[in-house]
Amino acid sequence: MKLNCVVVDDSSIQRTIIAKLVNNHPGLHLIGDFSNAIEAKSCISLNNIDLIFLDIEMPVINGFDFLDGLKSKPQIIFITSKAEYALKAFDYDAADYLQKPIAVDRFNASVKRAIDMHLLKKEVKEEEGEHIFIKSNLKKLKIFTAKIKWIEAFGDYVRVVTEDDSNLVLSTMKSFENDLSKDKFIRVHKSYIINIDKVERFNSKFAEIGITKIPLSRNKKEDLVKALSTS
């Protein structure tokens, strides 16, 4: 897992330094670096950003005003040469506050904190996420629907394939169709229901999820195209 991140600093030298630290870190993926908040905001609106390395003192729009204008706020690591902003920075729930010049060890410690916070939030989200219960091998299992890849008719059973494993359930495809969100799941064949978020490629005959080709019924391609365009 890597955190998608951007660097926002009006100093080209500082941007280069931070970008190099990001590119050298195995847990980070640099989406872009920007000299001003306006360019950064445009990038954030178009990409899934997990972490921003943000300078506070910038012309036109400073770091705090920039954050105030974001509808959805990624994690923030503030970067500045002045210590007096630290208290206000933590009012914004910052992951950390780095003072220039930045030491590599201190940078890595901040990133570790951000990654730990990201994983914790992900776990909480999964615990609270949409789920169903299935009965398999005399056990009742809680399955998060976001992890389901596809559901397949298997004789008198239904096979539920997730990111983690697969389970056989004595049930019907119709029952699963009724239980799952129609915004995320679509019946593409008499024997298959797929999670549209897991589809990587498709053509007139198959939808591909990983290395698995799921057959499409002749009249289901248009339904899949429509579902993917609105997801």
Side-chain angles (χ1 to χ4, degrees), residues 113-136:
R113 183 178 299 180
I115 291 174
D116 288 345
M117 290 173 65
H118 179 82
L119 292 173
L120 181 60
K121 288 179 180 178
K122 185 178 179 182
E123 288 174 6
V124 170
K125 187 175 181 181
E126 286 183 353
E127 287 175 4
E128 296 175 348
E130 185 176 335
H131 58 272
I132 59 173
F133 285 97
I134 63 172
K135 193 172 183 180
S136 179

Side-chain angles (χ1 to χ4, degrees), residues 69-218:
L70 293 181
K71 291 182 180 178
S72 179
K73 294 179 176 59
Q75 287 198 79
I76 306 296
I77 293 178
F78 283 108
I79 297 173
T80 184
S81 58
K82 296 183 178 179
E84 59 261 34
Y85 291 118
L87 187 60
K88 186 174 181 181
F90 286 100
D91 286 340
Y92 284 80
D93 293 325
D96 210 345
Y97 182 95
L98 296 176
Q99 278 191 260
K100 304 171 185 177
I102 303 167
V104 175
D105 289 348
R106 184 71 182 84
F107 176 87
N108 289 338
S110 292
V111 172
K112 183 180 185 305
R113 183 178 299 180
I115 291 174
D116 288 345
M117 290 173 65
H118 179 82
L119 292 173
L120 181 60
K121 288 179 180 178
K122 185 178 179 182
E123 288 174 6
V124 170
K125 187 175 181 181
E126 286 183 353
E127 287 175 4
E128 296 175 348
E130 185 176 335
H131 58 272
I132 59 173
F133 285 97
I134 63 172
K135 193 172 183 180
S136 179
N137 293 327
L138 303 179
K139 294 180 180 179
K140 207 169 186 181
L141 304 176
K142 184 178 182 179
I143 304 292
F144 291 100
T145 58
K147 287 191 171 187
I148 296 174
K149 296 165 72 174
W150 72 83
I151 293 162
E152 176 184 355
F154 210 81
D156 292 334
Y157 292 81
V158 170
R159 188 162 72 112
V160 182
V161 180
T162 73
E163 295 173 359
D164 303 318
D165 54 22
S166 66
N167 293 278
L168 283 178
V169 184
L170 185 59
S171 184
T172 64
M173 295 291 283
K174 188 66 178 176
S175 175
F176 274 94
E177 247 188 317
N178 292 335
D179 288 344
L180 294 169
S181 167
K182 290 178 172 55
D183 292 332
K184 293 296 181 183
F185 291 87
I186 180 172
R187 182 97 173 247
V188 294
H189 186 275
K190 65 178 182 179
S191 299
Y192 289 91
I193 298 169
I194 62 173
N195 183 341
I196 59 176
D197 287 340
K198 306 298 183 185
V199 176
E200 297 173 16
R201 292 171 296 276
F202 70 94
N203 55 33
S204 59
K205 295 182 178 180
F206 299 100
E208 295 184 32
I209 299 178
I211 60 172
T212 303
K213 292 184 176 181
I214 307 293
L216 296 179
S217 295
R218 186 177 301 175

